[in-house]
Amino acid sequence: MKFRALLLLPVVLTGCLNRPASPQPHPQSSPQSSTPSGGTSMQPQTYRMPSEDALQRLLKATNAARAVARKCGNDVYAAAGPLMLNIRLIAAAQTHAEDMAEHDFFAHEGSDRSDVVVRALRFNYSYRMVGENIAAGYPDVQTTIDGWLTSPGHCRNLMNPDFREVGFGYAEKQDTEYGRYWVQVLGVQH
């Protein structure tokens, strides 16, 4: 089975832009800057909520990883505080996981051309900073988290001490290239 992981580096609030910038779906891309759009509320999509058990396993594995100081590429990170689940970030993550599975693709840009900023705003997440890690093909929670930790950019997202909240998405569909699609959306609100 194939395994893939991509990252999106954090989208940081600055006073320069008046709308979200489209992040680059490139592991080696630099952070993109963005400010929330002027209160535009987009209609949320429907989605299937991940099971409480799956959410708790993903949260536990993520927080265990954050609790240990580590090197992400050339950057050293001290242990970071635990993240809390946020229903809006769960919705943004789950809709993207379902979109990738349903349309058999693997990318940060959705089939509707949305990015993590647009998806967070659709569920009224008033962000100061938001980031996204995606993975495909991994068989379980721990190997997905371990895969993100071995990639410098994913690791930086996961270990960023500025993030306070997280949402996870997971979708599975046979007869797709990867079968399993994982999404982690990290954020901090205003």
Side-chain angles (χ1 to χ4, degrees):
M1 175 168 270
K2 293 182 179 181
F3 299 102
R4 289 200 53 196
L6 284 179
L7 82 139
L8 173 70
L9 295 176
V11 177
V12 182
L13 176 70
T14 66
C16 304
L17 302 171
N18 62 10
R19 64 178 179 80
S22 295
Q24 300 298 312
H26 244 272
Q28 304 304 318
S29 66
S30 60
Q32 298 293 307
S33 296
S34 175
T35 58
S37 64
T40 303
S41 178
M42 295 178 220
Q43 186 67 13
Q45 300 169 329
T46 59
Y47 65 96
R48 293 177 294 281
M49 182 78 159
S51 73
E52 183 64 28
D53 178 59
L55 288 172
Q56 290 303 319
R57 283 184 290 124
L58 284 157
L59 180 64
K60 183 178 178 181
T62 297
N63 283 336
R66 286 172 60 90
V68 176
R70 67 182 69 244
K71 193 171 182 182
C72 301
N74 294 324
D75 300 326
V76 176
Y77 284 84
L83 299 169
M84 294 176 44
L85 287 174
N86 178 285
I87 191 69
R88 290 178 171 100
L89 294 179
I90 293 168
Q94 185 63 26
T95 57
H96 191 50
E98 289 176 8
D99 184 32
M100 288 190 292
E102 183 61 32
H103 295 98
D104 195 9
F105 73 95
F106 181 69
H108 285 286
E109 184 176 85
S111 64
D112 63 356
R113 301 176 110 25
S114 65
D115 59 27
V116 67
V117 169
V118 169
R119 292 187 290 272
L121 290 173
R122 282 181 181 155
F123 292 96
N124 298 314
Y125 188 77
S126 178
Y127 70 91
R128 183 167 45 110
M129 184 170 67
V130 66
E132 178 179 75
N133 288 338
I134 64 175
Y138 289 93
D140 57 46
V141 168
Q142 195 58 56
T143 56
T144 302
I145 300 297
D146 291 345
W148 284 332
L149 290 172
T150 61
S151 163
H154 292 89
C155 182
R156 282 191 279 279
N157 264 356
L158 203 144
M159 293 302 294
N160 187 329
D162 294 333
F163 286 129
R164 300 280 186 253
E165 298 173 311
V166 67
F168 302 100
Y170 173 77
E172 196 171 327
K173 188 173 181 190
Q174 292 184 7
D175 300 325
T176 59
E177 186 173 1
Y178 298 104
R180 296 179 177 98
Y181 300 84
W182 304 85
V183 180
Q184 178 185 63
V185 179
L186 306 111
V188 61
Q189 296 185 63
H190 287 288

